[in-house]
Amino acid sequence: MKLDKNTTLGEILKNYKNAKEVLTKFGMHCFSCPMSQMETIEEASMVHGIDVNEMLKQMKKDLVEN
């Protein structure tokens, strides 16, 4: 699965076993919220005040490489 700024949180949660743990590190906790399933990494990073490029870099390390 390609992981980029347009990947939705729903796709991440579906494809990576440790997704909740990784997303929680960024202050994201609303996994059951229907809106979060459609939210992209870029949108989520803006809402949480996180640099999207840094977030992607860390997510690729924590999700893809592990």
Side-chain angles (χ1 to χ4, degrees):
M1 179 183 137
K2 184 177 179 181
L3 190 61
D4 62 28
K5 66 181 183 178
N6 296 310
T7 304
T8 65
L9 298 184
E11 291 172 313
I12 293 167
L13 291 165
K14 180 181 174 185
N15 289 287
Y16 298 102
K17 290 188 284 185
N18 61 335
K20 286 184 180 180
E21 177 185 330
V22 171
L23 292 170
T24 299
K25 290 179 186 179
F26 293 103
M28 298 175 194
H29 304 97
C30 189
F31 306 117
S32 60
C33 173
M35 236 3 238
S36 73
Q37 300 298 308
M38 298 180 294
E39 192 171 47
T40 66
I41 292 174
E42 183 173 43
E43 292 166 336
S45 69
M46 287 190 300
V47 169
H48 292 276
I50 302 166
D51 179 90
V52 69
N53 295 316
E54 286 300 317
M55 186 174 168
L56 271 171
K57 180 179 173 182
Q58 189 64 44
M59 288 179 81
K60 286 178 181 179
K61 180 181 174 199
D62 292 346
L63 293 172
V64 178
E65 294 176 12
N66 290 325

